[in-house]
Amino acid sequence: MERSALVAGVSGIVGNTLARHLVAEGWTVHGLARRPTALPGVHPVAADLTEAGTLRDALAALRPSHVFITTWLRQPTEAENIRVNGAMVRNLLDALSPGGSLRHVALVTGLKHYLGPFEAYGKGSLPPTPFREEQPRLDVENFYYAQEDEVFAAADRDGFGWSVHRPHTIIGYALGNAMNMGVTLAVYATLCRETGRPFVFPGSRAQWEGLTDMTDARLLARHLAWAATTPAARNQAFNVVDGDVFRWNWMWGRLAGWFGLEPAPFPEAPAPLERQLADAAPAWAEIARRHGLVEADLGRLASAWHTDADLGRPIEVVTDMSKSRRLGFLDYQPTDDAFFDLFARLRDERVIPDPAQ
């Protein structure tokens, strides 16, 4: 059967990578965003998921077999996150419902399913690690749960299958993204090398010393396509991580080495990136001018708040992938190589300067 995808959030880390993967696999792909990124083979759809009326008009002629929801909008409170992000999923699926074409809807959320929303991140009574999909929802408000419930309700109404994908921190290429540790750390390392600042780990001792894992956007794209086309994965929620584990006290040295830096010792006092980068915009603008980089606005590259949230967690975070393995998804990605591949692309596309020069 023909496979036609609508990727909601095509300009983000996940959507961008997923759309490229689906095109390479022979899918017909439409990419939806308020300002869609121009991608080879992807048909752009300019629409706002918060505007139900104009969204219906934009999607009226589309009959996708598969929808991949890879986007969200950050709000000042979790109550607003629930209201806005739940409505975005509802608006999208309501707009596509009359066409009757949907066979599968995939929703990308994350480990805040187990850790709680940003307002209560890593606090209270949390499930034990490694996180497993069968662990129940936390007894707190969480916009991930609201998004899931909208998918479940529409699936009951329209008869399509669904999958929920819970990655850890995602490493991938996107600029101007609100949750982008890889690009943020590349910019931070570049600033340290160019200005002589020490390359100081900005997170907690628990993250520095404890085990953790991450998710390469390319592996997540393959997982999304696999679940959408594998009958045994229908109506299932999945954790999605690279398959390795590491401690940041090891990874920090690996990242430093790529940039020709020496990693600084673990700091005696907390050193969050929001504080470290608070005065760095002029320095970055000068680095961009000197090296002819494509983006001189530090604010469009670095999401310090999100990197601080992930690296500042007071608990160890490890994720179980046994469910996917049992059903046949066996892909593996070394996380240090995921960082290095991203850094090389950022260098080649003149987002950061070549550390060898």
Side-chain angles (χ1 to χ4, degrees), residues 104-166:
H104 191 92
V105 171
L107 172 68
V108 178
T109 61
L111 294 195
K112 287 190 292 298
H113 183 92
Y114 309 106
L115 289 164
F118 285 121
E119 290 182 4
Y121 199 42
K123 300 175 182 177
S125 178
L126 300 176
T129 57
F131 295 139
R132 302 179 189 275
E133 295 91 343
E134 64 268 21
Q135 290 166 328
R137 292 179 174 182
L138 301 177
D139 188 21
V140 294
E141 290 189 327
N142 191 324
F143 82 86
Y144 284 172
Y145 305 160
Q147 288 181 308
E148 287 184 348
D149 289 343
E150 294 292 347
V151 171
F152 301 158
D156 288 342
R157 177 189 68 200
D158 296 336
F160 56 76
W162 55 264
S163 57
V164 175
H165 304 255
R166 299 169 185 160

Side-chain angles (χ1 to χ4, degrees), residues 64-134:
S65 60
H66 294 70
V67 167
F68 299 88
I69 303 172
T70 70
T71 187
W72 72 293
L73 282 177
R74 187 188 183 199
Q75 304 299 312
T77 67
E78 193 60 19
E80 279 297 289
N81 275 328
I82 290 169
R83 183 184 68 81
V84 171
N85 290 283
M88 287 166 58
V89 174
R90 183 170 62 253
N91 291 343
L92 175 61
L93 299 181
D94 285 354
L96 293 170
S97 180
S101 62
L102 288 185
R103 302 203 300 267
H104 191 92
V105 171
L107 172 68
V108 178
T109 61
L111 294 195
K112 287 190 292 298
H113 183 92
Y114 309 106
L115 289 164
F118 285 121
E119 290 182 4
Y121 199 42
K123 300 175 182 177
S125 178
L126 300 176
T129 57
F131 295 139
R132 302 179 189 275
E133 295 91 343
E134 64 268 21

Side-chain angles (χ1 to χ4, degrees), residues 236-283:
Q236 297 289 329
F238 296 101
N239 297 328
V240 192
V241 288
D242 288 340
D244 62 352
V245 295
F246 62 90
R247 303 180 201 276
W248 274 106
N249 57 20
W250 173 82
M251 183 67 78
W252 202 246
R254 298 283 288 159
L255 303 189
W258 197 92
F259 288 92
L261 295 168
E262 287 293 326
F266 185 79
E268 293 185 7
L273 280 182
E274 278 201 301
R275 190 170 71 220
Q276 291 196 59
L277 299 182
D279 63 349

